[in-house]
Amino acid sequence: MSMEFLSYQADGLLMRSQLYVEGAQRGRCPGVLVFPEAFGLGDHAAEVAQRLAKLGYVALACDLHGNGSLVTDFGALMSIMEPLRKDAERIRARSKGALDTLRARPEVDPTRIAAIGYCFGGSMALELARNGSDIVGVVGLHSGLTTPAPDDAKNIKGKILICIGADDPQVGADARTAFEDEMRRAKVDWRMNIYGGVTHSFTNPAANSLGKPETFRYDAKADARSWNEMLVFLDEVFDEGVSRP
């Protein structure tokens, strides 16, 4: 497997993302954007991209904050994220920059690109879809669901899969209901898997080190289930994407 750093401009930032390609690949393959948790591009998103590359996808682990940086201080992170969450255009600019960069790669079939995201990365993937981008699917895992521009769901072209914990205090029942209403009004092909007894960041083993199990807690069963459900979803959207004009 090869890894290459890709640099590009987005939202006034120099982004530094990581492209993973399995060496045995031939021809153009489906591409997957992997948007990380709010902390930024770290081991979790990179490892997900590597796993996807081993399955034959071309995977881009995407920068979030610029220069591939991680923000580990909660206070600093909140001061950065609070205004960003309210600005759909800035979120979309960052995710669109990653999409354009991946689409331009010679290894990638531009008609078969999907986006997955974790935590705020899920918000980035969903905003990319709400922006009307040509992606065949979005997977949000313990994903943010709210948006400053819910009417833009009418622009979504691909399918949506959300995997979320029933006990996630950051994405509660009200947010899930609002998202359902948004998708219904826009007639989007969507589905949501809800895991009982599961909180936020359930796919990331490092979540336990935060010392806040009531909010951030790894769950091996939910991690495995969501991974398998995501792979089924990707098979579905990429198989359909072959015949797209």
Side-chain angles (χ1 to χ4, degrees):
M1 180 185 302
S2 65
M3 190 280 280
E4 180 180 348
F5 288 106
L6 300 185
S7 296
Y8 53 93
Q9 294 285 335
D11 189 31
L13 299 171
L14 177 62
M15 312 302 269
R16 195 164 187 256
S17 298
Q18 301 172 19
L19 183 77
Y20 292 89
V21 182
E22 182 61 49
Q25 283 185 351
R26 294 181 180 179
R28 293 198 166 197
C29 300
V32 182
L33 298 161
V34 182
F35 292 109
E37 294 180 291
F39 302 102
L41 178 51
D43 292 342
H44 178 247
E47 289 168 0
V48 168
Q50 291 171 47
R51 292 175 69 187
L52 290 169
K54 289 178 180 177
L55 295 173
Y57 302 122
V58 179
L60 185 67
C62 302
D63 193 359
L64 196 166
H65 298 297
N67 291 314
S69 60
L70 282 169
V71 182
T72 57
D73 178 82
F74 267 100
L77 183 63
M78 291 303 102
S79 67
I80 293 170
M81 297 307 298
E82 185 173 353
L84 184 60
R85 292 181 196 278
K86 299 175 183 178
D87 194 333
E89 292 307 313
R90 291 184 63 200
I91 299 170
R92 294 173 186 184
R94 298 185 191 193
S95 55
K96 184 65 161 48
L99 172 61
D100 291 344
T101 299
L102 182 62
R103 175 172 285 132
R105 295 292 300 192
E107 308 95 335
V108 175
D109 179 347
T111 70
R112 293 192 293 169
I113 297 178
I116 72 172
Y118 298 83
C119 180
F120 184 73
S123 297
M124 294 183 71
L126 287 168
E127 290 299 346
L128 184 65
R130 292 182 180 111
N131 197 42
S133 297
D134 287 320
I135 52 177
V136 296
V138 166
V139 183
L141 300 112
H142 41 92
S143 170
L145 300 178
T146 59
T147 176
D151 290 343
D152 286 353
K154 66 181 181 294
N155 301 320
I156 294 174
K157 298 176 180 178
K159 298 181 179 182
I160 305 292
L161 168 64
I162 301 297
C163 299
I164 208 152
D167 296 338
D168 186 340
Q170 297 196 354
V171 190
D174 289 346
R176 298 197 300 267
T177 298
F179 181 79
E180 179 179 341
D181 291 341
E182 177 193 353
M183 295 295 105
R184 181 182 294 112
R185 288 193 304 270
K187 302 185 184 327
V188 176
D189 186 335
W190 70 282
R191 66 204 78 170
M192 183 182 295
N193 297 329
I194 302 174
Y195 307 114
V198 174
T199 63
H200 201 64
S201 295
F202 61 81
T203 66
N204 191 348
N208 295 344
S209 66
L210 297 174
K212 299 181 178 182
E214 70 286 352
T215 302
F216 305 99
R217 187 173 70 245
Y218 177 66
D219 188 290
K221 287 183 179 180
D223 183 17
R225 288 170 178 167
S226 61
W227 177 262
N228 291 332
E229 289 153 0
M230 178 179 71
L231 294 184
V232 170
F233 176 83
L234 291 178
D235 282 344
E236 176 184 327
V237 297
F238 286 141
D239 284 347
E240 293 178 355
V242 172
S243 60
R244 290 183 55 186

